Amino acid sequence: MRILIIGGGGREHALAWKMAQSPHLEKVFIAPGNAGTAEVGTNVAIPVDDFEGIKKLVLDEGINLVVVGPEVPLVAGVADFFKEDAELKEIPVIGPDKKGAELEGSKDFAKMFMHEYNIPSGSFRTFINYTIPEGQQYLATLQPPYVLKADGLAAGKGVLIIDNLEEAQQELASMLNGKFGEASRKVVVEEFLKGIELSVFVLTDGEGYVILPEAKDYKRIGEGDTGLNTGGMGAVSPVLFADDEFMKKVEDRIVKPTIEGLKSEEIDYKGFIFIGLMNRDGDPYVIEYNVRMGDPESEVVLPRIKTDFVELMKATAEKRLSKMEVEFDSRTVTTVMLVSGGYPGSYEKGKEITGLDKVDGSVVFHAGTKPDGDRTLTSGGRVIAVSSYGNSMKEALEKSYVNAEKIEFEGKYYRRDIGFDLQ
Ligand code: AMP
Ligand code: GLY
């Protein structure tokens, strides 16, 4: 198989690394990729939303399968672009079409979908600019804290959780008056769900599905889950509280009705569904859907998949998933993200990364890096994810931390408490 992965972060490096283990892989291209993907495949400098550029690459290189990493090209309709193009329509895309991608691209659509198919989730109402007063009244009927969500994609910044009622009412008005541009033209006000979070990943071909290993990510910049939200500072898989009983509830109450709902909506969904869940006293509630793998969750979930990953992608494209036996590694995998100083605020790029050759016993996944001759430079906020296997979370984390210490770049920061709440 000749495969194209769209994207250029840690998730895409983990996807390329996993595919490179398969005897069925002839060649993997990554657009645009990073310094890590360049070690396992061929980077092509095409932005993720340049569909004409992607088309040319796919035809020139005889690519027979495309896997989409991030949400932006999915929400923009990359799968539809392939289906509607005479020369591309036979080439399978792993990732939903535009309508399916609305599960992530519109919080209002996702909430309506959950409501329609009886999928447990917090109660909610959606407001627009001329229903601001109704929205403010609705807030007054809720208990704090108040959850406000911009309807559209807002690069992870569109969810606000506010303790004070007046502040929440003001914030609702400011969002509906354009705080996040088009993304907050509608705002979902949602019941706050108290509990512990978990990410569940499903691979589906629209009929069959496979529940992949679950994970927990650590989103805040500061230790003890404090400070600003980031893309993710580390992750672990498995998550101890997600035992068989809990996961059975997730499958019966959430995964099955989600797949059935997609079918009822005539959404032909081939790809990953990332379900953000809250475990509330042993019962799962959906916080959000994403239509892709998580990052850094991919850096702990993909290393736990033992089944040939190219075969798994091919089975998804050919609607054969229900016949696949998928095997997982029972060991724990942890990842620790090394980030640029200042992230998630402003930070400098172009710092030389050293010590990568000293890493021993961990797998290094590159996020924001770029090759520069023989050197590797930082090129983003999240720079390197250090993933490790262990017979326990403690053992895996010890390896990730020993190796995190060996990798150096100016301003390097990482959280030293990944997994702290799962001991
Ligand atoms: P998102 O940007 O949708 O990933 O949301 C960011 C974070 O906000 C989630 O990871 C949760 O920690 C939190 N969150 C979102 N919705 C709720 C909710 N209804 N109740 C409690 N926390 C929430
Ligand atoms: N780590 C969270 C995400 O990928 O959205």
Side-chain angles (χ1 to χ4, degrees):
M1 296 282 284
R2 295 171 70 81
I3 299 182
L4 168 65
I5 299 172
I6 298 179
R11 166 183 48 216
E12 288 74 23
H13 187 188
L15 285 166
W17 168 85
K18 193 72 218 166
M19 288 179 194
Q21 295 168 4
S22 167
H24 301 294
L25 184 78
E26 187 191 323
K27 192 162 181 185
V28 61
F29 296 86
I30 309 93
N34 59 34
T37 61
E39 287 168 14
V40 281
T42 303
N43 286 352
V44 192
I46 301 173
V48 300
D49 56 357
D50 176 4
F51 297 171
E52 289 298 338
I54 290 169
K55 173 177 175 178
K56 187 169 181 317
L57 172 70
V58 165
L59 296 176
D60 287 352
E61 293 292 350
I63 284 162
N64 12 65
L65 182 106
V66 179
V67 178
V68 187
E71 65 279 15
V72 168
L74 292 167
V75 172
V78 68
D80 310 70
F81 177 83
F82 271 68
K83 277 184 205 160
E84 288 156 15
D85 186 289
E87 291 174 286
L88 297 178
K89 66 174 193 280
E90 301 300 333
I91 298 165
V93 174
I94 305 302
D97 61 16
K98 206 169 178 166
K99 194 166 170 210
E102 285 293 90
L103 279 184
E104 177 165 0
S106 166
K107 304 265 190 219
D108 181 44
F109 175 85
K111 294 296 293 184
M112 297 290 275
F113 179 91
M114 290 181 246
H115 183 70
E116 178 74 23
Y117 298 101
N118 289 318
I119 296 164
S121 172
S123 58
F124 78 105
R125 277 184 61 188
T126 301
F127 299 95
I128 52 176
N129 183 275
Y130 52 86
T131 56
I132 291 174
E134 286 91 325
Q136 291 174 329
Q137 276 166 22
Y138 178 66
L139 279 167
T141 69
L142 302 178
Q143 297 298 316
Y146 305 94
V147 182
L148 306 181
K149 298 185 171 182
D151 178 55
L153 292 185
K157 298 194 167 67
V159 175
L160 299 178
I161 298 181
I162 300 169
D163 288 322
N164 177 281
L165 176 63
E166 282 81 47
E167 204 186 309
Q169 289 172 323
Q170 277 168 20
E171 199 53 58
L172 177 70
S174 116
M175 286 172 88
L176 287 169
N177 284 321
K179 176 167 180 166
F180 297 106
E182 185 58 20
S184 67
R185 204 174 54 78
K186 287 187 197 170
V187 173
V188 172
V189 177
E190 190 181 310
E191 174 194 1
F192 180 80
L193 298 168
K194 199 167 159 35
I196 178 155
E197 275 184 78
L198 172 73
S199 305
V200 169
F201 301 92
V202 179
L203 177 64
T204 181
D205 57 16
E207 291 280 342
Y209 63 85
V210 178
I211 300 180
L212 302 175
E214 75 285 352
K216 186 167 199 311
D217 93 338
Y218 292 81
K219 285 205 176 105
R220 303 295 196 93
I221 187 72
E223 287 169 12
D225 283 341
T226 54
L228 294 174
N229 247 325
T230 71
M233 297 295 293
V236 304
S237 176
V239 180
L240 283 186
F241 68 76
D243 55 13
D244 290 348
E245 188 190 344
F246 183 79
M247 289 307 287
K248 172 109 178 55
K249 291 181 190 169
V250 172
E251 179 161 17
D252 290 344
R253 299 177 192 177
I254 295 168
V255 177
K256 284 182 182 162
T258 298
I259 305 291
E260 285 307 314
L262 290 169
K263 276 203 266 180
S264 300
E265 299 288 319
E266 294 180 2
I267 293 173
D268 176 25
Y269 200 111
K270 287 196 177 70
F272 298 98
I273 309 175
F274 162 172
I275 308 171
L277 293 178
M278 195 65 89
N279 173 355
R280 191 160 80 165
D281 300 327
D283 289 315
Y285 288 80
V286 179
I287 293 181
E288 61 171 350
Y289 287 112
N290 296 304
V291 297
R292 53 178 173 80
M293 285 298 293
D295 193 352
E297 291 94 328
S298 296
E299 291 94 303
V300 295
V301 172
L302 296 174
R304 294 194 57 217
I305 299 178
K306 280 175 138 178
T307 304
D308 185 302
F309 199 68
V310 171
E311 182 49 41
L312 204 53
M313 293 295 99
K314 211 160 158 267
T316 307
E318 294 166 2
K319 274 199 189 271
R320 289 189 285 106
L321 265 187
S322 57
K323 300 196 188 75
M324 286 286 289
E325 281 289 325
V326 184
E327 262 194 282
F328 304 117
D329 195 318
S330 60
R331 286 176 295 172
T332 297
V333 181
T334 58
T335 200
V336 171
M337 190 64 83
L338 312 183
V339 305
S340 299
Y343 173 81
S346 61
Y347 54 84
E348 289 176 21
K349 300 182 188 175
K351 307 289 182 198
E352 183 173 0
I353 305 168
T354 58
L356 289 166
D357 53 336
K358 299 202 187 83
V359 171
D360 182 22
S362 293
V363 187
V364 166
F365 293 118
H366 290 231
T369 70
K370 65 170 189 196
D372 176 51
D374 288 344
R375 304 187 311 157
T376 304
L377 304 181
T378 67
S379 70
R382 294 192 293 167
V383 178
I384 296 261
V386 185
S387 294
S388 315
Y389 292 91
N391 291 317
S392 64
M393 187 175 76
K394 188 166 172 279
E395 192 185 302
L397 278 169
E398 273 169 15
K399 289 188 207 165
S400 287
Y401 282 123
V402 165
N403 286 309
E405 227 10 80
K406 294 181 188 165
I407 302 169
E408 293 292 350
F409 55 88
E410 192 188 316
K412 175 184 82 169
Y413 168 77
Y414 59 94
R415 270 180 66 168
R416 289 159 202 268
D417 69 340
I418 299 305
F420 76 97
D421 54 345
L422 299 177
Q423 305 288 351

